[in-house]
Amino acid sequence: MDQTVPFHDIQDFIRHEEAKLSPKVQRLLASSTSESSDANGNENEFHTLDMGFARFRKAVRATPGLGPVKSPDPTWEELATYYTSQLEAPLFPVQQAPIIQGNVLTAPRIVQAYIPQSFRAVRHEPQERHYGDDLYWAQFSKRTDLGRFLLLWLTSATSLATPLVILAPPGAGKTLLSRILAAHLSSSSVFRPIRIALGDVDAKATIQDQIEEQIRIDTGRKLDWGSLSRSVRNHFPVVLLDGMNELLGANEKVFRDYPEKALRFQELEASLARPVRVILTSRTEVIDRADIPPGAVVLRLEPFDESQRTHWMRLWNRTNRLFFKTTGIHPLVPPENPAVLQLTETPLFLALLAVFDADGNPLQGCGALTRAGLLQQITQRFVAGTLPRGQLESTHLEMQKLGAAALGMFHRRAMSIRSDQLELDAHLLIPEEPSGELDRTVPTEPVTGAVPILEKLFFVNVTDKGEKGRPAVISREKESLRSYSFWHSLFGEFLTADFILRMTWNEATRLHRERRGRNRTQRKRAEERFTQPAHTPELWLASLIQTPLFDRPGILSMMRERMKTLLVPEKGERGVSLTQEEFLGTLDEMIQGQLHWILQGNTPPPLMTGTRGEWLQPLPLLGYLAIYSLNLIILRSVLDARPWIFDEAAHAGQEDGTPAWERLTYLWRSWFTGERLSRLRGILQTRRQEGCIHIQARPLFSCVRSVRGLKAYQELARVLADDDATRLATLALERSDLLEAGA
């Protein structure tokens, strides 16, 4: 695309680029957007859907190259074979196929189930930083010709100058699209794609090193990117960098400038006469933290419309017609329930609803189902299915083990966890004796019992170092180097949120019960548990002292949704023992007691000083205290829609000392950079009133873009309720604006 073409008008771009294509390719692209009618003259929307991107594949194969390739490196053919084989895999990679009533559900193949979504696109300008805002995208027209647009972009001049950034919310199909593109592009003699799963490679490495690492993983070949790209000089190499948001968990600095690194990689390759196209994918809600190069194309995938989800459900029902006939369960027909219909707009949740409904058609009476509620039902049903008859009460213990694995990944900022890491975490995250009402007094397995449950669930991938370095599904007998990951990161976010929330509920329930007991010694121990550092439960500390929660808004959103169902008794429970008000009141006392020793005490818990065994990542005491105190406040704020009040008088120190809230904020400033800490404004809103700080979680959590300089100081002062600093920063900014206007 020439720089003179106004990209805000996509239709102009399409006309400009389509004129350059051969007549055959133009006809194929036109057929992908044609409309058809049934015998009565009514438009048949399903015929316009390019299922599996089949028409896109034909157009790709008909695209002419720039010249012959004498002897391409055989690695390209191996990659093409690998990508094509992936499309024949089931939609969800089953470790153990979902079994319901003794019958196995069948997942459609990826190439069958992929339905191109509608999209909106814009050419990035430096001042535009609203890609996480639906209102911003509403000003651009929605289109249904995704395959057409992608092929035109790939053959345009702009694709050699800047990367394409594809955005979508969690579960909306970014990774599926990248896999489809890798397979279909490699089926032609023109394009040479390489797909890099950024969650599987070294986040801090250069893009060239990441490419070479991924090739070793996929083919077992150790080679140099330069020689590989030179072997297809007359073709179109395409680098698909999938999951840029995963870099945010590994290293935020890497994430921020990663799109610019992609641009510099393109510029370097072009200077060496090895031009390359680059496509990046990322979650929508975090992209405003990244620095996108000016002129880059930003494309957002839209939710499924009625025709897309209806077509998907027809495919599901057809694939599992034998299952429905054998079991007597009705095929998937979602109820006229607004909450369920909203979930069907996301491909991942549509697939999970299909699996969920196959177990007795519970969708018809599920009520206001949320994302967290659906994931809870899915995990609990299939965990219960792994247990012997009569042991359903053990479900909560098994859920705790799953949560421990998820929390271990969260603390390590990783997408998987090895069995040896699970062993390391188990002594803290899986207690030997259940505590609290929700734990249920059941026989406890050894701490290593976390491993068997992970190998039995269809939403857990179990991999190992296969031959030539390629990850492969391992045998049950082999015990070394096992690695566990979830089918989708949303499972990890939900299980992390569920683990922390259950742990919090259990501790509050236990404290509430013991303080009202008749045993004086037990009552005294209960009072000391959250006022004396040495007696603070280690499971509680281990969950909250390592990693700041504000880095992962997705976990906080899941926690808020899960809180809505926490008071509803689940199957196998004896009922809940606290009302919501009792729970929040007890939690207030727990948090206030912890903040008091942080502000006034001088003897931290043994877990923070390294005297209680190994831990994930040893931090200075300052880091533990800063992360822990901030997590406590975030946790309490997220669990209640009303403001939480921090009373400085309750933590008053010496007469001439700094006020308690300022001591806390100075502690946070001493550990986190101002730029990073200012991102709290996407999570919390605060205000000071008469010696009290009113802290309230925002209705929607977001990863707001970092700001720098004086603006960062102003934003940080606002979110920390530092009124004096806010006024000073505001005056300084106003003066700066006046000086610029005068100049």
Side-chain angles (χ1 to χ4, degrees), residues 100-102 383-395 571:
I100 298 173
Q101 295 186 14
V383 165
T386 67
L387 299 172
R389 289 181 177 272
Q391 292 191 20
L392 291 181
E393 68 276 5
S394 301
T395 300
K571 188 174 182 180

Side-chain angles (χ1 to χ4, degrees), residues 630-641:
L630 184 53
N631 278 348
L632 290 175
I633 290 173
I634 292 173
L635 176 66
R636 177 57 180 84
S637 302
V638 165
L639 298 185
D640 191 5

